[in-house]
Amino acid sequence: MRRILYRLRPACLLCALVASLAMSACDTGQPEIDIELETDFREVIAAIRDANRSLDDKLALIEATWNNGLADNQAAMKMVQEAVASLGGTMEEKLAAIEAAVQAGTTGLETKLALIEAAMAAGFADNQARMELLQQAIASLGGPLEKKLEAIESALKASTTSLEAKIGLIDAAIRGGFADEAVAQELLGEVIASLGETMEEQLAGIQAAVEGETLSLSAKMALIDAAVESGFADSKKAQEMIQSALEALEGSFDDKLAAVETAMQSQTTSLETKLRLIEAAASVATGEKKLELIRQAVASLSGSVDDKLAAIESAIGSQT
């Protein structure tokens, strides 16, 4: 009997959550997604698949389900993916719905990050759109700057946020003026700390991420930069990891060059690391193209004129 009651309580909570958001509990006839939990998610899934409900409403329901302990991280991510898959219309209309949900103040930053990742996986957003969505997500945060930074830090610590999303979030925070270079380094330090408890585990995590194919080249450069700043790697080790990151790139010559160019625009990577990347990318960037990459790296510098000159002097000194 106790077990039956345990099953009923989550079901009742789910009914309350669905009702509170004025969502339908009808059966859509579509195959249910695979969520291995005892809780009955039929009403939630029906609401998520309801074409008449806004994406923002669906995300609010998913977030409430997760916050009330009725879904674990994996189940919540699957439901977000289901919500994205339920979007109708053209690609532009789908992206517009995602943008509206990101800009709304209904859900938290972690839920919005999950949405952006799902949109990327579904092919609704490229890297440029992803950065714009991340900036919009941060801009949607209410309260003073301190509160926004707290929300960003919380998202960085969340197990539901991927490593790529965490680094992208920091980049977006810098671009949006919510974090300077010093704050960004602190945030990147927290990202590295999340890779393991000991220094050896963290370095192994960085190495695995750099050599893997999950992260973008820009994210890998940010990790390498943070590893140098945190004392995990010296210049020689950094150069080795940069070479590993380049070797892990897939695609055509143009694809690889585009990845290097995107890395030049990153706000989470120092000029020193960008110059090391340019040197290591000799197979795809020589002559005029190499000079163009250097110009892009310098153009990406933020801060005052003095700050930029100091960064250039530091980068020149590190190359000698």
Side-chain angles (χ1 to χ4, degrees):
M1 179 65 71
R2 287 183 180 178
R3 187 170 180 80
I4 294 174
L5 287 173
Y6 176 78
R7 286 174 179 263
L8 285 175
R9 285 169 183 165
C12 291
L13 281 171
L14 282 171
C15 290
L17 288 171
V18 174
S20 68
L21 291 168
M23 292 197 172
S24 171
C26 62
D27 185 5
T28 63
Q30 297 176 350
E32 295 184 10
I33 63 175
D34 181 21
I35 299 176
E36 296 181 357
L37 293 177
E38 291 186 353
T39 306
D40 186 353
F41 279 97
R42 285 177 298 179
E43 294 171 344
V44 177
I45 301 306
I48 291 172
R49 290 174 174 162
D50 187 350
N52 296 319
R53 302 296 176 187
S54 70
L55 181 59
D56 189 36
D57 280 346
K58 295 176 183 181
L59 292 176
L61 174 60
I62 294 169
E63 187 174 271
T65 304
W66 181 43
N67 287 341
N68 282 278
L70 305 178
D72 59 15
N73 294 341
Q74 184 180 5
M77 285 299 298
K78 285 184 178 180
M79 286 191 285
V80 172
Q81 292 166 1
E82 184 82 3
V84 170
S86 73
L87 292 173
T90 64
M91 190 69 73
E92 290 76 13
E93 290 171 337
K94 292 176 180 179
L95 183 57
I98 292 168
E99 288 178 342
V102 167
Q103 293 168 8
T106 311
T107 55
L109 185 57
E110 293 170 33
T111 302
K112 292 178 180 179
L113 291 180
L115 171 63
I116 294 170
E117 289 190 67
M120 286 284 293
F124 298 155
D126 56 17
N127 286 328
Q128 181 178 352
R130 176 175 170 274
M131 180 53 64
E132 291 174 356
L133 289 171
L134 285 169
Q135 288 178 297
Q136 291 170 11
I138 294 176
S140 72
L141 295 173
L145 181 60
E146 291 76 11
K147 287 292 184 182
K148 294 180 180 180
L149 285 175
E150 285 178 8
I152 293 172
E153 289 176 356
S154 177
L156 293 178
K157 295 175 182 176
S159 58
T160 51
T161 308
S162 71
L163 192 57
E164 178 82 32
K166 289 178 181 180
I167 295 173
L169 181 63
I170 296 171
D171 198 346
I174 298 173
R175 293 174 185 271
F178 299 107
D180 57 18
E181 185 176 341
V183 172
Q185 286 301 326
E186 291 180 8
L187 294 175
L188 281 169
E190 293 181 9
V191 171
I192 289 180
S194 70
L195 297 177
E197 294 183 0
T198 67
M199 189 171 183
E200 290 76 15
E201 290 175 342
Q202 292 169 5
L203 182 57
I206 294 170
Q207 192 72 46
V210 167
E211 295 175 355
E213 298 176 0
T214 305
L215 296 183
S216 67
L217 183 61
S218 296
K220 291 179 179 181
M221 291 305 103
L223 268 183
I224 294 170
D225 204 33
V228 174
E229 288 290 330
S230 301
F232 289 101
D234 56 16
S235 297
K236 182 180 179 181
K237 183 63 176 177
Q239 199 66 44
E240 291 174 357
M241 288 195 289
I242 289 172
Q243 191 62 48
S244 296
L246 285 170
E247 291 172 357
L249 285 176
E250 294 184 338
S252 65
F253 177 92
D254 290 340
D255 292 333
K256 294 177 181 179
L257 181 57
V260 175
E261 289 178 333
T262 300
M264 292 302 107
Q265 301 166 17
S266 172
Q267 296 294 303
T268 52
T269 306
S270 69
L271 184 58
E272 289 95 329
T273 299
K274 290 178 181 178
L275 293 180
R276 290 192 184 107
L277 174 59
I278 293 171
E279 288 299 321
S283 61
V284 295
T286 58
E288 183 59 35
K289 176 50 67 176
K290 180 177 180 180
L291 290 175
E292 177 59 27
L293 289 174
I294 294 174
R295 293 190 193 100
Q296 291 176 10
V298 173
S300 72
L301 292 172
S302 60
S304 65
V305 174
D306 289 340
D307 292 334
K308 294 178 181 179
L309 286 175
I312 293 171
E313 288 176 358
S314 175
I316 293 174
S318 70
Q319 305 299 306
T320 57

